[in-house]
Amino acid sequence: MAKPWATFGVDLHLDRSGPGLRRGLTDALRDAVRSGRLAPGTRLPSSRSLAADLGVARNTVAEVYADLVAEGWLAARQGSGTRVADRTPATPGHRPAPHRREPARPAYDLVPGTPELASFPRAPWLRAARRALTAAPDRALGYGDPRGRVELRTALAGYLSRARGVRADPDRIVVCAGFLGGLGVLADLLRHRGARSVAVESYGLPHHRRLLTRAGLATPPLPFDDRGTRPLDDPAAAGAVLLTPSHQFPLGLPLLPERRTALIDWARRTGGLVLEDDYDGEFRYDRQPVGALQGLDPDRVVYLGTASKSLAPGLRLGWLVLPPALVEEAMDGMAGRTPGVLDQLTLAEFLASGDYDRHVRAARLRYRRRRDALVAALAERAPHVRVTGIAAGLHAVLRLPPGTEPQTLRSAAWHGLAVHGLSAFRHPEADVAPSDALVVGYGTPPDHAWAGALEALCRALP
C-alpha cells in the first residue's frame, strides 16, 4: 500500500546520469533548469515526495536541493517550498538578447469579426453546463459519433430550420471545431473527390483562402460588380464556390435573388457544390433576416455555421449541414476535429432552453444601438465619409476619398485604434478596381469604451 505522503506533490521527470547517485541527481536537476525545461518559479516536489518517486533516501534529495540553492539554481523559502530561482543562467557563447520596446497596445479594437466578449452569457451558460452534465449518460464521455453529440445535432436542426430557413435533420449535421475546422474537412473532402479549385469572393477573409491553398486547392475569385458577387462566368472554372450570401463579408451586400437562382443552376448543371458561410446571418437590423441559401437546394449546398459571432470564438463550436451524399465522406475526415463533448452538451441545452434566442435578441439590440451611434457620429463629425454595409452584421464600411486609406490607417494607429482597411480583404487576383475604405467592427469594444472609440475614430478620419 502506498504511503499517504507519496500521493502528494507534483510530478517531475529527471534523467539521472553520471557517477554517483547524488551527483547524477544534481546534474539532472541543474540541466533541467539550465535548458529551460523547469521554468523560473516552478515549484519542485518536496524532498520526501521526490525521494519516494525516485526510490532514494530523503536525505539525498535534501542535500541535492541544498547544493543547488547554494549555487543559485533553486530558491527555498519557509512555507513555500523549493522553487526554481528567478534568474536566467548564462550559457557559453550566449549573449542576452537586447531589450526591445513592445509596440503600444491599441486603446480600442475595431477589427471586424469578434463579438463583445464582455457580454458572453456566463451565468446562463454555467447553468446550462450544470444541467447538461447532470443529465448526460456515462457513455456521452466516450469517443462517440464522429458527427458530434446527437443532443446538439437535434437542437441545431430545430434552431436552424426555425431561425435560418435551413432544411436539416440531425443525421446530416456534423459538429466541427469552429468555421475553419469545418472548412478544413470540406477542403479535404473536395480534394478526395478530385476538385482542383474552390472559387471565392473578390473580397473576403484571407485566412480562408490560405486554408484552401494549403489543402492543395486553387482559389480563383468570383466576378464582382457594384451590386455584389456574381456567379461564375465559366461553368467549369471550379469544383465548388465559397461565399457569404446573406451578408457578404466585408462589403455587406446580400446576394441578389436572381444571382442566388443562377448559382444554384450552376451547381445543378456542373455537379459542383456551393459552400455557404452564414457569416453573422443572425444579426440583421432593418428587416427580416435573409434566409439561408441552403433552403433552395439542400443537395447542392453545404451550410456552414458557427457560434463565434453569436457567443464567442473561443468556444470553437461550428457545424456543417451536408447533402446526404457527403455525410459518410465528411465523417471519415472528422478524426480529431470534433469539439469537446461538454461544450457540445452545454450548447445543446443552451439552445433547447431558449437561452440562446434570448441572448441573440439582446445582442442584436445592443449592436443595432452601436451601429446607429456610429452612423450618427459620422454624419455629424465626418459627413464626407459614406457608410455602407450597415443593414446587418457587426461591422460597417467607411468609404474614403481615393488614395487616403493608407494615411487613414496610420492616423487610426496614432489615435490608438486597431482597424483594417478594405484592401486587406481584396483577392490579389480580383478583376475589380481597388477602393479606399475602412472596415470598422463595432462588436468588440465593451459598452463603457464605445463612446471613446467613436471619438477616436472620428478624429482619425481624413
Side-chain angles (χ1 to χ4, degrees):
M1 177 177 177
K3 296 180 181 181
W5 49 262
T7 62
F8 295 97
V10 296
D11 288 337
L12 181 62
H13 173 74
L14 293 172
D15 292 320
R16 288 177 287 165
S17 60
L21 184 61
R22 176 174 170 179
R23 180 174 174 180
L25 181 56
T26 303
D27 289 345
L29 267 170
R30 186 188 294 114
D31 289 343
V33 176
R34 180 189 287 118
S35 67
R37 190 165 64 82
L38 291 177
T42 300
R43 183 169 183 170
L44 300 183
S46 68
S47 58
R48 177 174 293 183
S49 176
L50 184 57
D53 289 345
L54 298 178
V56 301
R58 181 185 177 189
N59 284 347
T60 300
V61 177
E63 290 167 357
V64 169
Y65 278 3
D67 290 345
L68 293 174
V69 168
E71 293 178 15
W73 297 101
L74 303 181
R77 292 184 181 178
Q78 187 68 30
S80 64
T82 303
R83 298 176 183 270
V84 176
D86 188 13
R87 63 188 293 273
T88 304
T91 56
H94 172 75
R95 286 187 175 184
H99 176 70
R100 293 181 179 180
R101 184 176 179 182
E102 294 293 329
R105 185 176 180 180
Y108 304 106
D109 186 355
L110 298 182
V111 173
T114 304
E116 186 197 4
L117 302 180
S119 296
F120 181 82
R122 295 170 186 252
W125 184 263
L126 182 59
R127 290 194 297 269
R130 287 173 174 163
R131 293 193 301 266
L133 189 56
T134 300
D138 292 342
R139 65 180 180 275
L141 302 178
Y143 289 106
D145 193 321
R147 291 172 296 184
R149 287 299 306 173
V150 66
E151 296 92 337
L152 178 54
R153 291 186 286 114
T154 301
L156 283 170
Y159 173 78
L160 295 173
S161 175
R162 167 173 56 83
R164 300 297 299 126
V166 175
R167 291 160 61 184
D169 61 65
D171 291 339
R172 293 171 52 186
I173 295 177
V174 172
V175 181
C176 49
F179 179 88
L180 289 179
L183 186 60
V185 171
L186 292 173
D188 292 346
L189 184 151
L190 287 165
R191 283 289 295 158
H192 184 262
R193 293 168 68 92
R196 296 183 178 181
S197 63
V198 175
V200 298
E201 292 176 297
S202 289
Y203 284 94
L205 289 165
H207 56 273
H208 292 178
R209 298 195 296 266
R210 288 195 294 267
L211 184 150
L212 294 170
T213 301
R214 287 196 300 267
L217 295 162
T219 57
L222 287 162
F224 188 87
D225 60 23
D226 57 359
R227 303 177 70 200
T229 300
R230 300 200 325 263
L232 287 164
D233 294 327
D234 180 1
V241 297
L242 170 66
L243 74 169
T244 50
S246 295
H247 182 235
Q248 199 281 329
F249 182 87
L251 296 176
L253 301 168
L255 190 64
L256 295 174
E258 62 271 22
R259 296 183 179 182
R260 288 183 159 222
T261 302
L263 187 62
I264 295 299
D265 289 342
W266 165 84
R268 290 170 177 169
R269 288 196 319 272
T270 64
L273 286 174
V274 178
L275 312 182
E276 177 181 13
D277 176 5
D278 195 21
Y279 192 92
D280 57 29
E282 292 156 313
F283 295 110
R284 193 161 193 93
Y285 308 118
D286 298 324
R287 56 186 176 88
Q288 280 292 104
V290 177
L293 179 68
Q294 188 263 7
L296 295 179
D297 193 337
D299 292 329
R300 303 297 341 153
V301 180
V302 178
Y303 177 91
L304 296 94
T306 174
S308 295
K309 306 299 180 295
S310 57
L311 287 169
L315 293 175
R316 306 306 301 143
L317 286 168
W319 43 88
L320 305 174
V321 183
L322 295 159
L326 299 184
V327 174
E328 291 294 330
E329 291 183 68
M331 289 170 62
D332 291 341
M334 286 304 299
R337 288 170 157 173
T338 304
V341 67
L342 297 183
D343 284 338
Q344 291 188 54
L345 292 171
T346 301
L347 180 56
E349 174 63 27
F350 202 68
L351 283 161
S353 68
D355 283 333
Y356 185 86
D357 285 87
R358 285 186 284 273
H359 171 73
V360 168
R361 284 197 297 270
R364 189 183 295 132
L365 179 61
R366 181 169 60 255
Y367 295 140
R368 178 171 182 167
R369 288 171 176 165
R370 291 189 181 192
R371 182 206 66 171
D372 292 348
L374 171 64
V375 172
L378 293 174
E380 178 182 352
R381 302 278 301 278
H384 57 287
V385 174
R386 185 166 58 96
V387 187
T388 63
I390 60 173
L394 306 181
H395 71 274
V397 178
L398 277 56
R399 301 289 183 171
L400 302 173
T404 61
E405 182 181 306
Q407 70 187 53
T408 304
L409 288 172
R410 290 193 294 269
S411 176
W414 192 86
H415 283 89
L417 289 172
V419 66
H420 285 167
L422 181 60
S423 59
F425 303 100
R426 183 177 179 272
H427 195 299
E429 302 171 17
D431 185 19
V432 56
S435 179
D436 290 81
L438 294 185
V439 183
V440 175
Y442 49 79
T444 305
D447 283 338
H448 66 82
W450 182 231
L454 276 181
E455 175 65 24
L457 176 63
C458 290
R459 290 200 304 269
L461 291 173

